[in-house]
Amino acid sequence: KLQVVMALTFFNSYKGDADVMDMAIYTQHNLALDKIKAEMETPGNEFYVLEDLDEDVILAYTHLVQCAEFEGVKPESGDQLLEVSRLYVTRGFQGHGFGRQLLDLAEKRAHELGISGLVLCAWKYNWGGIRFYEREGFKTVKEMEYPLGHELRPCPVMYKRV
């Protein structure tokens, strides 16, 4: 069920501006069940899901990754960052605080792990997402290009000290 939500939330986030074939290739490769299972089994990777058990629906999820650096961004102190690799809220459930709950959880995990910084990248034209992260205290520290199929997409790298 999580794999389907991952693919749908990704597709819904980018469908307005991305080539459909590029998105299909990306989801088949990066959101394949064996790849997700491998990520879940890799030390330093954590997945969290908000679910309505009564309705049997996933409301939101995040994938956190401990890393020494992210696209050249290094921690201000300590030797690790916590990357918010994915944070998606299922369509129809946005605006109910689920994204904020998952970011609060990421901060809590960072504190528990002794990590002083969160890092993430967002698509440059995901204005709602970028505003959300800025409201939550993230600052853009650089820009990277993220491959989506045959296209390189500009994405700000955002950092928050926790």
Side-chain angles (χ1 to χ4, degrees), residues 105-118:
L105 176 67
E107 284 189 40
K108 179 181 176 204
R109 285 298 296 142
H111 286 294
E112 291 170 354
L113 295 165
I115 294 174
S116 63
L118 296 178

Side-chain angles (χ1 to χ4, degrees), residues 39-49 61-66 82-83 85-86 105-106 109-110 112-113 115:
E39 288 175 337
M40 289 180 167
E41 294 169 357
T42 301
N45 282 255
E46 300 177 16
F47 286 80
Y48 295 94
V49 176
Y61 79 94
T62 192
H63 173 202
L64 307 176
V65 181
Q66 295 174 47
L82 190 59
E83 176 196 356
S85 177
R86 298 183 198 115
L105 176 67
R109 285 298 296 142
E112 291 170 354
L113 295 165
I115 294 174

Side-chain angles (χ1 to χ4, degrees), residues 83 92 124 147 160:
E83 176 196 356
K124 184 176 186 173
K160 179 180 181 179

Side-chain angles (χ1 to χ4, degrees), residues 142-158:
K142 68 180 289 184
E143 191 167 284
M144 65 177 273
E145 291 186 327
Y146 188 84
L148 178 63
H150 298 87
E151 181 183 4
L152 292 175
R153 301 176 73 77
C155 297
V157 176
M158 304 179 83

Side-chain angles (χ1 to χ4, degrees), residues 78-136:
D79 61 351
Q80 292 279 298
L81 293 168
L82 190 59
E83 176 196 356
V84 181
S85 177
R86 298 183 198 115
L87 191 155
Y88 287 99
V89 177
T90 305
R91 179 175 276 174
F93 297 103
Q94 295 167 332
H96 296 283
F98 300 127
R100 179 170 287 118
Q101 282 182 316
L102 290 173
L103 274 183
D104 289 346
L105 176 67
E107 284 189 40
K108 179 181 176 204
R109 285 298 296 142
H111 286 294
E112 291 170 354
L113 295 165
I115 294 174
S116 63
L118 296 178
V119 66
L120 58 84
C121 71
W123 180 42
K124 184 176 186 173
Y125 301 109
N126 179 2
W127 296 293
I130 290 171
R131 281 192 307 272
F132 167 72
Y133 294 125
E134 288 173 342
R135 280 193 313 269
E136 295 300 315

